[in-house]
Amino acid sequence: MRLLLLACLRAQTGNATTAGRIQDHLEAVGHICSLKDAFGYENPSEIANLISAEKFEAALAIHLYKGGRLLQGSRIPFGIIFGGTDINEDIKHEEKHRVMGAVLEEARFAVAFTEKMKELAAAEWPDARSKIYIQTQGIMTTPSATFNWKKFLQNAGISQDTENVRLFLLICGLRRVKDPLYLVDVFSEWHRREPHIHLVIIGPAVDPQFTSEVNEKVNRAPGVHLLQEIPQDDLHAAVKRCFAVVNSSISEGMSAAILEAMDLDVPVLARNIPGNAAIIRHKDTGLLFTDPQEFVQLSKSLMNDPSLERKIVTKAKAYVKKHHSWECEREAYQNLVLKLQ
């Protein structure tokens, strides 16, 4: 089939990574899958013209509102993949809620990453329950063999002895829902007492106004550093060299950065929100914190207890291998797309 795949394709973001992976899954069985940026289209009529011009036979969209609204009234069958902010945040807005309900009614199927996400959607649109399938994200990590750790630290403005650095890495697009400033003050206080402790925030400038706020805050916070996105292979290599990966989001669908860290044998400290708690068991496959002070407390416990660190990374690796297999995700999407024929 000739398939249209709509997603928000800002470089190095979760949606773009997920879209590329799904495209690869579908092309592996012979479908022609064209990936288009949802931000490049204003309304359904533009997508209707695209479908007609490129003779698409079916479509998929990531994000029930941002991608799905463009497929409303489409003359071809389509499926939806929930993004996270659609079900966690956009659902609270009356007009977006109405649009998303209409999209879900038209869709042949929808995909939720977690049981919790499915239940949230089904509570709002009960008639759609039977068409919502649960499929966790598949993970494949590919750390670069030529990654230069010292240069990475220098680019972040960390010039001290690199062997003694304890680096925490927060990977996110710079937008408010990711809340990258949540831990800045406590990290800066901690760094003043223990200068080898650093936080690096890395990711694309998704929201320009908010990015300015982040820059301003970070520039006044010793021990906290901001870097633009880097290629995924280099990012995976950086994750392997850091002490822990941090997630401080207000809401998440399913964080690929968390799962990738778990696969790379690096401990994760994540804010205790439903999307994170769905994949992390506290003190078993990672650590969940409820406020900045608890984050510091848990981080210190992890640093002072090598046995806890070994337990967490071992169980986290096993969890990802069992529940987030790239091969299982491939098979699932190849089967789901048959519903569009």
Side-chain angles (χ1 to χ4, degrees):
M1 279 196 300
R2 289 184 62 83
L3 294 167
L4 168 64
L5 176 54
L6 278 172
C8 303
L9 298 179
R10 293 186 181 99
Q12 314 299 331
T13 59
N15 276 355
T17 302
T18 299
R21 199 171 61 247
I22 293 171
Q23 180 186 35
D24 186 63
H25 293 335
L26 299 178
E27 290 181 342
V29 287
H31 296 298
I32 298 170
C33 186
S34 181
L35 185 54
K36 301 290 185 180
D37 189 353
F39 286 124
Y41 302 90
E42 293 290 332
N43 53 58
S45 64
E46 292 183 5
I47 290 297
N49 292 336
L50 175 70
I51 289 169
S52 177
E54 300 200 18
K55 296 180 171 57
F56 289 117
E57 300 168 81
L60 288 169
I62 299 177
H63 202 284
L64 184 54
Y65 181 74
K66 292 176 183 174
R69 69 182 180 84
L70 296 171
L71 292 174
Q72 277 190 287
S74 175
R75 293 190 296 272
I76 58 173
F78 66 87
I80 294 293
I81 300 153
F82 297 152
T85 54
D86 43 9
I87 303 303
N88 293 326
E89 302 297 326
D90 292 338
I91 209 168
K92 302 170 187 175
H93 301 274
E94 184 177 349
E95 176 58 17
K96 290 182 178 180
H97 185 286
R98 184 194 65 75
V99 170
M100 291 192 294
V103 171
L104 198 51
E105 186 175 348
E106 289 185 49
R108 290 278 183 94
F109 65 83
V111 176
F113 295 142
T114 66
E115 179 71 36
K116 178 71 172 178
M117 194 184 294
K118 174 178 177 175
E119 289 305 314
L120 286 171
E124 299 296 323
W125 304 290
D127 291 344
R129 177 181 290 276
S130 63
K131 67 169 70 173
I132 303 174
Y133 297 81
I134 299 171
Q135 176 54 49
T136 59
Q137 293 209 68
I139 293 301
M140 177 182 288
T141 53
T142 55
S144 169
T146 58
F147 176 71
N148 189 323
W149 175 241
K150 288 191 175 182
K151 184 177 180 181
F152 176 82
L153 294 178
Q154 288 170 358
N155 288 341
I158 302 171
S159 56
Q160 66 186 76
D161 180 5
T162 58
E163 294 303 314
N164 293 325
V165 167
R166 285 293 182 100
L167 184 68
F168 293 75
L169 195 61
L170 197 166
I171 304 163
C172 68
L174 299 184
R175 51 192 178 123
R176 294 186 191 281
V177 72
K178 298 297 183 181
D179 208 5
L181 298 178
Y182 186 64
L183 298 171
V184 166
D185 289 338
V186 293
F187 245 108
S188 204
E189 291 170 14
W190 189 8
H191 173 77
R192 288 187 181 98
R193 296 192 301 272
E194 301 182 48
H196 65 293
I197 300 294
H198 293 264
L199 171 67
V200 170
I201 303 168
I202 184 168
V206 177
D207 178 338
Q209 181 179 349
F210 182 61
T211 298
S212 296
E213 294 178 30
V214 173
N215 271 296
E216 185 179 342
K217 178 84 170 180
V218 168
N219 287 338
R220 301 196 309 268
V224 181
H225 315 269
L226 184 62
L227 281 177
Q228 293 182 343
E229 69 270 25
I230 59 177
Q232 190 174 50
D233 291 359
D234 286 342
L235 182 60
H236 289 166
V239 167
K240 282 186 69 69
R241 294 298 302 268
C242 72
F243 174 70
V245 163
V246 179
N247 180 289
S248 58
S249 296
I250 295 168
S251 73
E252 283 283 358
M254 179 172 284
S255 169
I258 287 178
L259 294 170
E260 288 165 356
M262 294 165 81
D263 190 55
L264 291 165
D265 301 311
V266 174
V268 173
L269 293 106
R271 195 167 177 172
N272 193 356
I273 56 174
N276 291 341
I279 56 177
I280 293 176
R281 293 192 304 273
H282 184 55
K283 294 189 176 180
D284 190 60
T285 56
L287 296 171
L288 295 168
F289 60 88
T290 55
D291 57 53
Q293 291 70 35
E294 186 181 20
F295 168 82
V296 174
Q297 176 190 345
L298 290 171
S299 297
K300 290 180 176 180
S301 297
L302 188 64
M303 293 168 71
N304 295 327
D305 189 349
S307 64
L308 175 61
E309 182 181 358
R310 285 195 300 272
K311 171 190 171 184
I312 284 174
V313 297
T314 299
K315 292 202 168 186
K317 178 85 169 188
Y319 168 82
V320 170
K321 185 176 181 180
K322 181 178 180 181
H323 297 285
H324 296 275
S325 160
W326 180 85
E327 292 82 5
C328 288
E329 183 190 49
R330 167 164 286 195
E331 182 180 357
Y333 279 103
Q334 289 173 350
N335 288 333
L336 277 170
V337 82
L338 297 176
K339 296 180 181 295
L340 301 178
Q341 292 181 340

